[in-house]
Amino acid sequence: MRRGLVHVLAWLLATGAAVTLSWWGVHTVMAGTAYDPPRALPIKAADTSSTREPKAPPTPPERTPAPKRRQPSTPPASAGPSPSPTPSAGTAAPAASGRVRSYDTDGGRAVFDLGRTSASLVSATPGAGWSMQVWKTESWIRVEFSSGADRVSVFCTWHDGPPRVEIGTY
């Protein structure tokens, strides 16, 4: 009887040690993987709150049963030149420094500073339940919002003329 009790106690200690060692190994491997909280992307923009004139309230986005892909759209021309933003200390001025335009989609909002020959991304904010990815080159910027299999791209190009923005739903 005593011998059986010793075997059970030895088995319990060995099993407890094995479980503890396994948990510690898995915990060490999993630390720093996809289970960490997501990090926010830094957005570099000038502080324009005190240098801009008040803007008219934004118009609501188009809500039509749109086809799978929208045609290129050009932002509406402004009534007059808008004042250039003054960068705050420690930040660089946007490369375009033209008209700031916001594009609302089902996946989120992308805001671009559209100049005469180039553009820059001011901010991009995904909607609830959506994630976002940004690609930039010398002649275009693409912001893609995704949720499951749904994709919405806001694509700003200026390689062959003034900046234009296209919104595509995939």
Side-chain angles (χ1 to χ4, degrees):
M1 170 89 168
R2 179 177 276 185
R3 187 174 181 153
L5 191 56
V6 170
H7 284 285
V8 170
L9 184 59
W11 180 82
L12 285 173
L13 286 173
T15 303
V19 168
T20 302
L21 184 62
S22 296
W23 179 87
W24 180 77
V26 170
H27 182 280
T28 303
V29 169
M30 295 304 286
T33 62
Y35 296 102
D36 286 342
R39 296 185 181 111
L41 295 174
I43 301 293
K44 296 178 183 174
D47 179 18
T48 60
S49 59
S50 63
T51 60
R52 293 256 179 175
E53 297 175 358
K55 295 194 291 185
T59 58
E62 295 179 44
R63 297 290 181 202
T64 60
K68 283 289 184 190
R69 185 165 177 93
R70 295 183 188 172
Q71 293 299 321
S73 63
T74 5
S78 62
S82 59
S84 297
T86 304
S88 60
T91 60
S97 59
R99 302 173 313 224
V100 176
R101 294 288 181 252
S102 173
Y103 298 90
D104 290 322
T105 68
D106 291 337
R109 173 183 287 184
V111 181
F112 293 96
D113 186 1
L114 304 173
R116 289 187 176 150
T117 58
S118 66
S120 63
L121 180 65
V122 175
S123 70
T125 309
W130 290 76
S131 62
M132 171 192 72
Q133 194 168 4
V134 177
W135 295 272
K136 294 181 182 182
T137 70
E138 301 259 336
S139 60
W140 56 264
I141 300 171
R142 177 181 173 188
V143 179
E144 182 179 271
F145 301 105
S146 59
S147 176
D150 297 329
R151 302 272 188 267
V152 177
S153 284
V154 182
F155 198 62
C156 181
T157 60
W158 60 89
H159 57 84
D160 59 354
R164 66 182 180 276
V165 177
E166 299 176 30
I167 300 173
T169 306
Y170 307 98

